Amino acid sequence: MSQMLALVILVAILYIGDVISVRTKAWIPSVFVCAVLFLLGYWTFFPQDIVSLAGVPPTVASMMIYLLITNMGTLLSLQQLKEQWKTILISLAGILGIVVALFGIGTLLFGIETIIVAIPPLVGGVVSALIMSEGAANAGLATLAVFAIVIYVMQGFAGYPLTSIVLKKEGKMLLEKYRKGELKVINGGTQATVSEPRELKLFKWMPDKFNTDYFKFFRLAFVGFLAYLVSTLLAPILTVSPYVLCLLFGIIATSIGFLERQVLQKANGFGLAMMALMLFIFDGLKNATPSMMMEILYPLVGCIVLGVIGMYIFSFFIGKVLKVSKEMAFAVSLTALYGFPADYIITNEVINSLTEDEKERDALTSHMLPPMLVGGFISVTMVSVILAGFFVGFL
């Protein structure tokens, strides 16, 4: 198979996943569709090295991970997080619920190694899944390396419908209050996303024309290199994943004005980086035989069910303490299972299904969307990477 034919086939699979996800309004996740197509390909005519053949060997994927995680750090707005402190506590409580449920019960059913591999992908996204998959593979745990990818692929099937159900209950309650005049629109609430620009304080003197794409890539790569260097220097004393440091250094670099927010997007490199990373993720399925898939089915379903139960219990109690409804608290916790943009899509779909009045939609959006976005950001973008960097050391 030629390189360009391999690339065409793989990108076509990613596109098919996107189309089906859009047509089903994210009820069928694109990653699930892609995973199924990759498995069918590997079980039939795909060469085992089709991803490397297409131009994404492990070294290229590693480069993209450094750039993407550092870019994640640039998305953090300390002001927005300060305003959503209750959301942050609820999100952390939900994650703690997953950890407690899986370590408390899951280890008895599935073994400690399975639980260690399962937790970071279950509370996060593609990066944490990849970290755990690579860690399991390096430890000689081939089945668990595949398990990390599969649990990332499948967790949305639990998260999407449950979120829709609890958000509809929350929305109906808020709508009733609004119609009685008991609910006000929160000004600017819908802007609690990660799109607010930041000034490059350290480069005020430099004309904009010199802030080229290459200069953006250079600064992003430099911050990633610093993270790698510090991780290496700490290695004799303390094992800290360079990926965790990339996240931390990205936040610091943005706050001091060395990096702009969403720098990878502004350098026109985000789409290509994500494509390479997703292809490398699905490359982890090449060792998944039908018998192996049957073998991991039981721990897969068990871990997701236990995780959701733990999440609900802990979010319920923290919601009581913070005087947040159990529906909203659970919905915020559930964002750990999918993150952005699914949290945005599901919330908007629910709001649009509840009312056609623009003012009512604005009121619901201002109360429901900000906590959903911040919850997804905290769990998927930050905590899951930190957990993965910590847990991978135990394999």
Side-chain angles (χ1 to χ4, degrees):
M1 184 179 288
S2 69
Q3 177 182 2
M4 290 312 297
L5 177 57
L7 183 62
V8 167
I9 292 172
L10 297 185
V11 177
I13 287 176
L14 296 181
Y15 177 64
I16 291 169
D18 275 349
V19 169
I20 292 177
S21 178
V22 170
R23 288 298 297 255
T24 61
K25 297 180 179 178
W27 284 89
I28 300 179
S30 62
V31 290
F32 172 75
V33 177
C34 293
V36 170
L37 293 177
F38 263 85
L39 282 173
L40 292 176
Y42 282 125
W43 293 346
T44 53
F45 70 97
F46 277 10
Q48 286 290 96
D49 63 344
I50 188 171
V51 173
S52 294
L53 188 62
V56 188
T59 50
V60 171
S62 179
M63 174 185 71
M64 295 304 183
I65 294 170
Y66 274 96
L67 296 181
L68 282 164
I69 299 182
T70 306
N71 186 67
M72 281 181 181
T74 71
L75 303 179
L76 180 60
S77 167
L78 296 176
Q79 179 59 35
Q80 289 166 354
L81 294 180
K82 192 187 299 182
E83 293 170 358
Q84 291 288 333
W85 64 273
K86 287 186 178 181
T87 299
I88 295 171
L89 291 179
I90 291 169
S91 181
L92 293 176
I95 292 170
L96 182 61
I98 292 175
V99 173
V100 170
L102 289 184
F103 271 121
I105 302 173
T107 49
L108 301 176
L109 300 175
F110 314 119
I112 186 68
E113 288 179 336
T114 300
I115 298 306
I116 288 172
V117 171
I119 289 175
L122 195 57
V123 302
V126 58
V127 174
S128 52
L130 183 55
I131 293 172
M132 297 313 298
S133 180
E134 284 189 332
N138 292 337
L141 306 169
T143 301
L144 291 182
V146 173
F147 181 64
I149 305 299
V150 175
I151 200 166
Y152 158 70
V153 167
M154 297 300 296
Q155 62 192 10
F157 281 103
Y160 297 147
L162 284 174
T163 303
S164 183
I165 290 167
V166 294
L167 278 183
K168 281 181 180 177
K169 289 184 178 180
E170 175 72 8
K172 287 176 181 177
M173 183 269 291
L174 291 174
L175 203 55
E176 189 176 331
K177 283 187 176 182
Y178 179 78
R179 288 168 178 170
K180 290 179 180 178
E182 299 173 0
L183 188 74
K184 294 181 180 179
V185 178
I186 302 173
N187 291 329
T190 58
Q191 298 305 313
T193 64
V194 291
S195 58
E196 187 181 296
R198 282 250 181 133
E199 186 182 17
L200 278 176
K201 301 171 190 173
L202 297 185
F203 300 97
K204 285 182 178 179
W205 50 269
M206 189 179 71
D208 286 343
K209 63 183 178 181
F210 292 115
N211 188 17
T212 65
D213 289 349
Y214 289 138
F215 188 55
K216 293 183 178 74
F217 276 120
F218 164 72
R219 286 182 283 114
L220 193 62
F222 182 73
V223 175
F225 167 69
L226 289 180
Y228 167 78
L229 187 62
V230 171
S231 174
T232 304
L233 292 174
L234 289 173
I237 308 165
L238 181 67
T239 301
V240 182
S241 169
Y243 298 145
V244 174
L245 293 177
C246 279
L247 188 68
L248 175 62
F249 283 22
I251 295 170
I252 295 170
T254 307
S255 65
I256 65 174
F258 184 76
L259 292 177
E260 54 268 77
R261 302 185 71 181
Q262 303 191 75
V263 60
L264 195 55
Q265 287 88 328
K266 291 173 182 174
N268 299 306
F270 184 77
L272 184 63
M274 280 304 298
M275 182 191 75
L277 186 62
M278 293 308 297
L279 291 180
F280 189 65
I281 276 285
F282 293 122
D283 182 52
L285 296 174
K286 65 186 176 187
N287 298 318
T289 61
S291 60
M292 183 187 291
M293 294 301 293
M294 292 305 297
E295 183 184 336
I296 64 177
L297 182 62
Y298 169 57
L300 172 71
V301 174
C303 285
I304 292 176
V305 170
L306 285 175
V308 170
I309 292 172
M311 188 186 293
Y312 175 75
I313 293 171
F314 275 65
S315 65
F316 176 82
F317 283 110
I318 193 70
K320 284 283 187 184
V321 173
L322 299 176
K323 296 181 180 178
V324 175
S325 71
K326 64 179 184 295
E327 289 82 10
M328 196 69 232
F330 190 33
V332 166
S333 295
L334 284 168
T335 59
L337 299 181
Y338 44 82
F340 186 85
D343 49 8
Y344 179 84
I345 293 169
I346 294 170
T347 307
N348 275 312
E349 286 292 335
V350 168
I351 291 169
N352 292 336
S353 70
L354 290 174
T355 177
E356 295 183 359
D357 183 276
E358 281 302 315
K359 290 184 178 180
E360 291 181 346
R361 284 181 177 177
D362 285 343
L364 293 179
T365 300
S366 71
H367 282 271
M368 293 168 65
L369 188 57
M372 290 296 290
L373 292 174
V374 172
F377 178 80
I378 288 295
S379 57
V380 174
T381 304
M382 291 185 64
V383 180
S384 69
V385 176
I386 295 170
L387 281 177
F390 177 72
F391 279 10
V392 75
F394 292 98
L395 291 176

